[in-house]
Amino acid sequence: MLIALPLLVIPVILYNIVVLSGLGGGGVAAADDALRQAMFSIPMASGASWNVGVGDLILFLSLILLFFELLKSTSSQKVAIVNHALSMILFVICLVEFLLVRGFATSTFFLIVTMVMLDVLAGFIVTIISARKDLDFGAGA
């Protein structure tokens, strides 16, 4: 049954831990600073230095998990319906946090919310298209 759990819940939980643990002091600016603070730096060939922060790593993980969620959305198993419903619940929770909770009104969390929304849309669109193809196939037989 764990396959029904949306993978994008992982970056949402990580973001919640970073912001709600008080690493940034609780405000929007403090949360944004905590997410942007460089964890490590990578020297580039141009001589510049690429600073990678916690928020960047959470977004990178989110993009990877979004890819796997999009692959899961093509499944026509019964568990896919549960996954779509849980993804919708996760989207509502993320949207409420983004709009109402201090510390979540950052660009990093907005991009995570957008990825969760894309997961919800992809799941429903793929399900509708596959159902329509099944209906068309059944009607022609």
Side-chain angles (χ1 to χ4, degrees):
M1 195 62 177
L2 283 177
I3 193 135
L5 192 66
L7 295 174
L8 287 171
V9 76
I10 296 169
V12 171
I13 289 172
L14 288 174
Y15 190 93
N16 275 278
I17 290 170
V18 169
V19 172
L20 297 177
S21 68
L23 293 176
V28 175
D32 207 30
D33 287 342
L35 292 166
R36 292 177 193 253
Q37 185 178 9
M39 289 180 58
F40 56 90
S41 183
I42 300 173
M44 304 303 284
S46 65
S49 182
W50 175 31
N51 298 323
V52 179
V54 175
D56 300 325
L57 292 177
I58 292 174
L59 284 176
F60 180 66
L61 176 66
S62 300
L63 285 170
I64 292 170
L65 294 176
L66 177 63
F67 171 75
F68 288 110
E69 276 296 316
L70 292 175
L71 290 178
K72 278 178 34 178
S73 71
T74 61
S75 170
S76 61
Q77 299 175 354
K78 292 180 181 179
V79 75
I81 302 299
V82 176
N83 180 275
H84 299 331
L86 292 174
S87 293
M88 180 59 106
I89 291 169
L90 179 64
F91 174 67
V92 170
I93 290 169
C94 289
L95 191 60
V96 167
E97 283 182 332
F98 181 70
L99 295 174
L100 301 178
V101 180
R102 184 176 299 273
F104 286 82
T106 63
S107 295
T108 302
F109 196 68
F110 173 75
L111 292 172
I112 292 171
V113 172
T114 303
M115 287 182 226
V116 173
M117 180 190 67
L118 289 173
D119 174 37
V120 170
L121 290 175
F124 286 125
I125 289 170
V126 167
T127 302
I128 289 169
I129 289 173
S130 64
R132 187 171 38 173
K133 285 183 180 179
D134 289 344
L135 184 64
D136 289 342
F137 181 71

